[in-house]
Amino acid sequence: MTRSDLASLYPAHLAVLATRADEALQRCQRDHLVIPSGNLHLRAFDDLEYPYATNPQFKAWLPLTNAPGSWLVITPGQRPKLLFLQPHDYWHVVPASPSGYWAAHFDIIVIRTAEEALAHLPGDPARCAILGEPHSALGGFSPDNPPAAMAYLDYHRAFKTPYEIEMMAAANRTAVRGHHAALRAFRAGSSEFGIHMAYCQAAGQDSTRLPYGNIIALNEHAAVLHYMTQDRLPPSPLRSFLIDAGADHGGYAADVTRTYSAHEGDDFAALVRAVDDAQQALAARVRPGLDYRQLHLDAHLALAGVLGDAGVLRIDAEEAVARGVSRAFFPHGLGHGIGLQVHDVAGFAASDAGGTLDKPDRHPYLRLTRTLAPGMVVTIEPGLYFIDMLLDELKANGLGDTVDWDRIDAFKPFGGIRIEDDVVCTEDAPRNLTREAFAAA
């Protein structure tokens, strides 16, 4: 997908957003949608700012991710207006003037101070739906995030336009470059920190731009679901490598996880392959009309089967799921929506008017409970881990006889396994953006 291809898809994307904005304004009975990009703000007791993050409601309209202090004004029947803050400043790099395939679709007004925006914002803040964080307030324009508008916009953000899907495909290609470099660093015996640096170099992104902090886990560290410590020395012996690392493209995220054994012929490598097979089978089921909650429950059954084949379980897969044994090895949700945010909004929304779809009983960490439909992009990320805390709970709950503790002791030094792809629900077969990127690379 070239820049000219994105340019050809962008007008239709804007048209969809405009239609959604019109409906959101009707629902909250306002005249204008006003969206601040977000501001830099100081850390407490310091003169340094927190890292800047663009308001997702802002970057939904345009791929502008470094424009603090700017504003969008969306008025039905009019071209969208961008108030672009480009200050006179010799202390910092000033944002470049707006350009590219998107710029011609906006009325752009360059302002030199944040306060200059007030002269170009609608006259009555009360007639505006202002979407943003409290620290973006300017004069009388304080974000109020009207619930009726937010419920509608968040719900429909799950349905990606063709333009958005191509942006996410590009983010996956960037992430895959990083993953290949990270794997090379692992095979060369690098530390977690060294692998992280190899990833950032290859992806061309660091902590200020990556959509989330990289998880780079060697050996037993892979049993910590959000391990981000990054030891500076490699362990000895080197057994396993789990990497959960994404990338950004124009404000859209990729979220990709892979796991490797240091020795491709050992039992852990066979377990990784079995989880990968199960993951691909689950990803292939991303189809319209499928309740994601059921896919999550089916993942437990599939992973219990993997554990049984590996000699970890002493009971069959159905009994392991029914008695809660599978949750000791797969304690998180199967995945989540993804797009402008890694964990995209409205994962539990019952409708665009609000309401909540409950999680399955005894599965508190599932982040998506909606029924899949064309345009949705979800992660599929089953995992198996050997976590002391959860294994101790098995014993405490009288379930210690359901597993082979010798097999568990053999796998514990490897930590765990997670395989994750970003998958588009279409009218027909799903499009796996991550596998597509790996195949192309």
Side-chain angles (χ1 to χ4, degrees):
M1 179 64 62
T2 65
R3 184 171 292 271
S4 63
D5 293 325
L6 288 173
S8 69
L9 295 173
Y10 185 69
H13 169 70
L14 272 188
V16 169
L17 294 189
T19 299
R20 292 176 185 172
D22 290 355
E23 178 63 25
L25 288 170
Q26 289 185 32
R27 293 194 177 202
C28 67
Q29 298 184 338
R30 310 284 178 92
D31 298 328
H32 312 275
L33 206 60
V34 175
I35 310 173
S37 64
N39 292 333
L40 294 166
H41 56 125
L42 293 175
R43 303 175 189 181
F45 314 115
D46 206 337
D47 63 351
L48 297 176
E49 295 98 353
Y50 288 105
Y52 172 70
T54 309
N55 179 358
Q57 300 287 348
F58 182 90
K59 64 181 181 176
W61 288 82
L62 70 181
L64 197 58
T65 57
N66 183 29
S70 298
W71 294 76
L72 276 175
V73 180
I74 312 300
T75 303
Q78 299 181 19
R79 278 163 56 90
K81 180 165 63 176
L82 169 64
L83 309 179
F84 182 74
L85 178 58
Q86 193 178 50
H88 292 298
D89 187 357
Y90 55 84
W91 287 96
H92 307 97
V93 174
V94 174
S97 297
S99 64
Y101 60 83
W102 59 271
H105 299 274
F106 291 80
D107 289 335
I108 300 174
I109 300 171
V110 174
I111 54 178
R112 298 303 184 184
T113 68
E115 291 71 24
E116 285 182 35
L118 291 169
H120 305 283
L121 292 171
D124 184 2
R127 301 308 306 157
C128 301
I130 307 172
L131 313 184
E133 296 180 275
H135 71 268
S136 296
L138 178 67
F141 290 86
S142 181
D144 59 348
N145 301 311
M150 296 304 298
Y152 181 83
L153 292 172
D154 286 353
Y155 181 86
H156 287 280
R157 220 169 80 192
F159 308 112
K160 306 299 187 290
T161 66
Y163 167 81
E164 292 179 295
I165 290 171
E166 294 308 326
M167 295 290 275
M168 296 176 70
N172 270 265
R173 291 192 293 272
T174 299
V176 164
R177 287 200 304 272
H179 274 256
H180 279 302
L183 179 58
R184 290 192 296 270
F186 164 64
R187 297 294 187 203
S190 187
S191 68
E192 292 168 343
F193 181 72
I195 294 170
H196 167 71
M197 296 302 289
Y199 182 95
C200 292
Q201 176 70 29
Q205 299 181 15
D206 62 10
S207 59
T208 64
R209 186 173 172 191
L210 291 170
Y212 60 95
N214 285 349
I215 297 170
I216 308 289
L218 298 176
N219 293 1
E220 68 276 3
H221 291 163
V224 181
L225 300 184
H226 281 177
Y227 175 81
M228 296 181 182
T229 301
Q230 297 176 1
D231 280 356
R232 266 53 174 177
L233 295 175
S236 181
L238 187 61
R239 297 186 176 93
S240 63
F241 171 40
L242 184 153
I243 173 170
D244 185 337
D248 171 272
H249 185 83
Y252 289 86
D255 188 357
V256 179
T257 308
R258 290 294 185 268
T259 308
Y260 305 94
S261 175
H263 306 286
E264 286 304 310
D266 62 14
D267 285 352
F268 185 72
L271 192 63
V272 172
R273 289 191 293 271
V275 173
D276 187 70
D277 289 343
Q279 191 270 352
Q280 290 191 66
L282 292 163
R285 292 181 55 200
V286 171
R287 304 282 177 129
L290 177 65
D291 188 329
Y292 194 85
R293 293 173 292 191
Q294 185 59 54
L295 191 61
H296 168 78
L297 296 175
D298 292 346
H300 272 266
L301 191 63
L303 292 173
V306 169
L307 289 171
D309 292 342
V312 174
L313 294 184
R314 288 178 166 168
I315 57 177
D316 64 31
E318 290 78 6
E319 185 179 356
V321 174
R323 298 178 68 182
V325 176
S326 64
R327 297 199 309 276
F329 299 93
F330 177 34
H332 58 76
L334 177 61
H336 48 81
I338 183 171
L340 291 163
Q341 293 166 276
V342 177
H343 299 148
D344 227 348
V345 292
F348 311 118
S351 75
D352 61 18
T356 300
L357 297 170
D358 292 336
K359 303 171 187 178
D361 289 342
R362 303 187 298 172
H363 294 267
Y365 301 113
L366 183 61
R367 288 190 170 104
L368 182 63
T369 56
R370 290 171 66 169
T371 296
L372 300 180
M376 286 186 170
V377 185
V378 299
T379 66
I380 301 294
E381 49 181 305
L384 289 176
Y385 313 87
F386 301 91
I387 302 170
D388 285 330
M389 182 187 304
L390 301 183
L391 295 171
D392 289 344
E393 287 181 7
L394 273 186
K395 295 177 182 178
N397 293 333
L399 296 169
D401 61 347
T402 64
V403 299
D404 185 322
W405 290 100
D406 288 337
R407 290 297 283 163
I408 287 175
D409 287 342
F411 283 124
K412 277 176 62 177
F414 296 86
I417 300 164
R418 184 165 63 254
I419 310 291
E420 177 183 20
D421 294 339
D422 303 340
V423 184
V424 183
C425 183
T426 76
E427 295 283 358
D428 191 15
R431 179 183 175 189
N432 190 318
L433 301 178
T434 305
R435 299 278 171 169
E436 180 182 286
F438 272 106

